Amino acid sequence: MKPETQSKIDPVCGMDLSEYSDVTGIFHQEKKFYFCGKGCEERFKNDPERFQKEPLIKLTNIWKIFSAGGGSALGGNLGGAETKALRDLSLHIWEGDFVAIIGASGSGKSTALNMIGLLDRPTSGDIFFNGKDVSKLSDDERAGLRSKTFGFVFQQYNLIPWLTASEN
């Protein structure tokens, strides 16, 4: 019997590896799993059942394109410049993970955080929270989820000095 082959999506971090020919893979319960590197492979080996479930937060093929001037409401570009802030971002964040998003200025860190925190909508792609597609929720539904589920500490936090930490 030939083992079943799974798609080339790293089950730990969510990276799409289909364009890479030299990725490592291991078999687990007759399925082949591919990994972007040793870190993801080791995490999988330590708890393979965990990484076959749904991650807490999952971004799939997220694109965010900003149009400057001349952009149409339908996303077309009528002569204005386009900035591709995110290009096909896929990411898994598992419950209990500590995640740091690092990169050069202008690399899309804040845009990615705005997607994860439901502060902005992707141009295309899907965002899942606890297995539910939240990228298509209404503004009110997104606000409700943010107020009950997500917490933010902004870089420019603008605290009011005469209020306590709780009041702020």
Side-chain angles (χ1 to χ4, degrees), residues 18 20 32 60 70 105 108 111 117 132 151-153:
S18 58
Y20 301 96
K32 190 164 188 180
T60 306
S105 178
T111 304
K132 179 182 177 185
F152 296 94
V153 178

Side-chain angles (χ1 to χ4, degrees), residues 13-15 55 57-60 89-93 99 101 116:
C13 69
M15 184 175 174
I57 298 171
K58 178 177 164 182
L59 279 65
T60 306
L89 172 66
S90 293
L91 173 68
H92 292 172
I93 299 175
V99 178
I101 298 177
I116 292 168

Side-chain angles (χ1 to χ4, degrees), residues 75-125:
N77 190 340
L78 305 174
E82 258 186 12
T83 301
K84 294 177 182 171
L86 297 176
R87 298 179 189 103
D88 206 24
L89 172 66
S90 293
L91 173 68
H92 292 172
I93 299 175
W94 298 89
E95 187 170 342
D97 277 359
F98 181 87
V99 178
I101 298 177
I102 59 174
S105 178
S107 63
K109 301 177 302 292
S110 294
T111 304
L113 287 171
N114 287 341
M115 297 297 144
I116 292 168
L118 305 179
L119 292 171
D120 198 2
R121 295 181 187 275
T123 303
S124 65

Side-chain angles (χ1 to χ4, degrees), residues 44-60:
F44 182 87
K45 285 179 180 177
N46 288 335
D47 192 358
E49 303 311 316
R50 175 185 191 198
F51 298 108
Q52 293 178 66
K53 299 174 184 170
E54 281 295 313
L56 178 66
I57 298 171
K58 178 177 164 182
L59 279 65
T60 306

